[in-house]
Amino acid sequence: MLARIDTRKKANMRLVLSDNTTYQDVALDKSREYNDEYKLHEGEWFAVEGFREKPYFKTWIEEPFNAGDYSQLQVAEYSGLKFLCAVQDGDKFMFQRLFSGNVYENKTFLSFSLEAEPQLRTDNQLVVINKEPDAVYHLTENKLYFKSIPTVKPLFPGIEELYKEATNKEVETFLQLDFIQLGGEFTADKVKTPNRRNIKEAKEIYDNYTDDDKKALKAYAQKYRPGLNYNPGADVCEVANDEQLKDLIYCILQRYYTTEIGGKMRVAHSVDDM
């Protein structure tokens, strides 16, 4: 298993474990070409054929895995983990993004086992492995399997090109979200192509937000884009033109950030967790 750590250096991949099977019984036999209008059923995956030739392919997975090519992950690097990549069967690279809910520090857990009584354990660092990976690259087939573009986009920036331009109906649905209030004479037919290409991703992300996430989004929008005229009384943001719509979409995509040195506000035009 490999891990990507948060560092500006090129050598940002580390070896975590050798000779371990991380994900059990990952079946890839039910796959279909990506279609953003199709909802996957249980056990299904989207697949991208000829992945090595795509502009968002990562060259470090171009060759068969060799553990000796990577330095061992050090304890001091645990807090900077971005994703895991388990190499199984010699030619399957299985990726899992790590969110705050996957990584625990200095927590006490009640451990249950069939072989022993319950025990209290205190672990300095604990990473939760999901039942299945977020994406699988099959080296021999030269095919990427995944289930959600927003989930794998930070792993493979540019893969969002698979989204089709949103239709008028899809744009109208997005503009009817509970926290959007249209201003002036702005309507769906005035939404331009760049925003139409981002609306599907933004809608998919927003649909998976919890109530706490939605509150955080509004605070984020107030901080970075006060021009959206957030009305806390009505709990809505006003969108009166295509530029404001772009600002709102970028808020959902979390494109805005503050530099650590100087505290300057910036916008990220691409995102790369690799």
Side-chain angles (χ1 to χ4, degrees), residues 6 8 257-264:
D6 188 10
R8 294 177 181 272
Y257 67 98
T258 303
T259 60
E260 293 186 18
I261 300 174
K264 302 292 185 180

Side-chain angles (χ1 to χ4, degrees), residues 142-155:
N142 189 21
K143 185 185 295 187
L144 179 75
Y145 297 86
F146 67 97
K147 296 193 174 184
S148 165
I149 286 184
T151 300
V152 301
K153 177 184 173 182
L155 302 176

Side-chain angles (χ1 to χ4, degrees), residues 200-219:
K200 288 193 176 185
E201 180 185 2
K203 178 69 162 54
E204 188 172 342
I205 290 174
Y206 187 79
D207 285 346
N208 287 304
Y209 273 171
T210 64
D211 289 341
D212 287 342
D213 292 334
K214 292 178 181 179
K215 290 179 182 178
L217 169 64
K218 292 163 187 173

